[in-house]
Amino acid sequence: MQNSQDNLKEIESLLEFYRSAGVDCFLGDEPVDWAAASMRQTAPRHQAVSHPRPSHKASVSAQSRAPEEITSANAPPQRPAAPSQQPAQSHQPASAQAAVVPDREMIASARDLAASAASLADLKACLETFEGCNLKLTAKTLVFGDGNPEARLMLVGEAPGREEDLQGKPFVGRSGQLLDRMLSAIGLDREAAYIANVVPWRPPGNRTPTPQETEICKPFIKRQIELVNPDVLVFLGAASAKNLLGVQDGIRKMRGRWMNYTLADREIAAVATYHPAYLLRSPLEKRLSWRDFLSIRSRLAGR
């Protein structure tokens, strides 16, 4: 009886560890080697690569081996088989086998798809059917946007977290609650702003999106900005500013400095400030963000 209770406590501790690490779902009975899956996706592009001819010494040595050994020796080196190649594959959902490696052609396709959206509703529908980002395989929901799509102020973060993934809205966790208080301090709320992220799906464990994941999602956030067409654009954190403005400065050097975000027919006043999640970890920096938000209020007021 005591052993059963100990085992139960160990299982509960393990599940709590997984939950705190961001593991909130299981996609199959066996783990998937995504690296091997990526190699299989890109293998056809490299089939034309020639292999060196075996030396005379190797050929003579091969004659003394069994036929199956000769075949193995002459074959190109193979990576270990991924679990998805084994019988356990039948127990995995189809989505676990749909991983893709974004290339230039796919990014161009995403750009064309985003440009075809005539409204925010169209753009959201495009993202719901888009299969070019692997984050969609592990996220629970699409986190598209929140607030007033006709607002003069738009705020853009990097990617949603756990609470955002559960509710389908950006900035609703602890960092979102702080953002609400920051907006309230300058006399605004979510009905006076529109909020979105560069990447609309939560990365597993709240990790940083990869450059490939960001690049494949970039056409959609750029079109989202075009459709909202705000007067003031605020980047929450350095990542969103770097991705959309092309700047390389760190957030300490960048924050509070007004820049321009260029659309096809106009330029939008843009500024970067600290991400609310960073301010939760570094509360002393809130005074600098307060200055940034005062500057935002002045810009909205035309001063």
Side-chain angles (χ1 to χ4, degrees):
M1 183 64 180
Q2 183 64 33
N3 289 338
S4 299
Q5 292 179 350
D6 291 341
N7 291 338
L8 181 59
K9 290 181 179 179
E10 290 181 3
I11 293 173
E12 290 176 345
S13 298
L14 181 61
L15 291 174
E16 176 60 25
F17 168 77
Y18 285 151
R19 188 196 67 78
S20 62
V23 178
D24 48 20
C25 66
F26 294 96
L27 298 180
D29 295 332
E30 297 291 336
V32 177
D33 187 343
W34 293 113
S38 297
M39 291 299 298
R40 291 197 301 276
Q41 289 283 342
T42 56
R45 305 176 191 173
H46 305 288
Q47 287 180 349
V49 178
S50 60
H51 298 283
R53 298 174 62 88
S55 65
H56 175 71
K57 181 178 180 180
S59 300
V60 173
S61 175
Q63 293 177 0
S64 62
R65 290 185 242 169
E68 61 273 14
E69 293 178 328
I70 297 175
T71 301
S72 175
N74 292 334
Q78 298 292 327
R79 290 181 174 273
S84 58
Q85 295 176 321
Q86 300 177 6
Q89 181 181 16
S90 60
H91 298 290
Q92 296 175 359
S95 60
Q97 305 170 26
V100 295
V101 180
D103 53 19
R104 292 184 179 180
E105 182 178 352
M106 187 170 293
I107 293 173
S109 176
R111 192 179 299 117
D112 293 339
L113 183 62
S116 69
S119 66
L120 289 174
D122 290 344
L123 187 63
K124 183 177 182 180
C126 289
L127 279 167
E128 287 174 339
T129 59
F130 183 63
E131 301 296 338
C133 182
N134 293 333
L135 293 177
K136 186 177 181 180
L137 304 178
T138 54
K140 291 183 179 297
T141 57
L142 168 70
V143 182
F144 183 69
D146 189 33
N148 183 359
E150 298 182 357
R152 296 178 57 216
L153 173 65
M154 181 172 180
L155 303 101
V156 180
E158 182 179 24
R162 181 176 182 274
E163 290 301 319
E164 289 75 17
D165 187 37
L166 292 174
Q167 298 187 39
K169 293 183 179 181
F171 288 90
V172 293
R174 291 183 62 221
S175 61
Q177 294 167 14
L178 176 57
L179 178 60
D180 289 344
R181 294 196 296 272
M182 294 163 70
L183 288 171
S184 178
I186 60 171
L188 300 176
D189 57 20
R190 291 200 176 217
E191 290 304 313
Y194 186 81
I195 309 172
N197 284 301
V198 174
V199 175
W201 292 286
R202 178 203 179 197
N206 291 351
R207 65 164 172 77
T208 301
T210 66
Q212 293 81 5
E213 291 163 350
T214 300
E215 195 66 25
I216 199 68
C217 293
K218 190 183 296 185
F220 297 101
I221 184 59
K222 294 179 72 172
R223 183 57 178 158
Q224 202 167 359
I225 294 173
E226 290 176 358
L227 292 170
V228 175
N229 196 23
D231 292 331
V232 175
L233 187 60
V234 178
F235 296 104
L236 301 172
S240 57
K242 289 181 178 180
N243 286 321
L244 295 174
L245 289 177
V247 295
Q248 297 302 319
D249 293 335
I251 188 61
R252 291 181 179 275
K253 186 176 181 180
M254 186 195 318
R255 57 143 294 274
R257 188 177 79 223
W258 284 96
M259 298 165 278
N260 289 322
Y261 179 83
T262 304
L263 295 180
D265 57 349
R266 65 184 288 248
E267 289 187 339
I268 300 175
V271 67
T273 188
Y274 289 125
H275 194 287
Y278 170 76
L279 295 177
L280 290 173
R281 301 190 302 269
S282 306
L284 292 179
E285 304 286 9
K286 289 181 180 180
R287 56 188 176 83
L288 297 178
S289 283
W290 169 240
R291 296 177 188 174
D292 297 339
F293 271 72
L294 288 177
S295 179
I296 292 167
R297 182 175 66 180
S298 296
R299 185 59 65 107
L300 288 171
R303 298 195 297 270

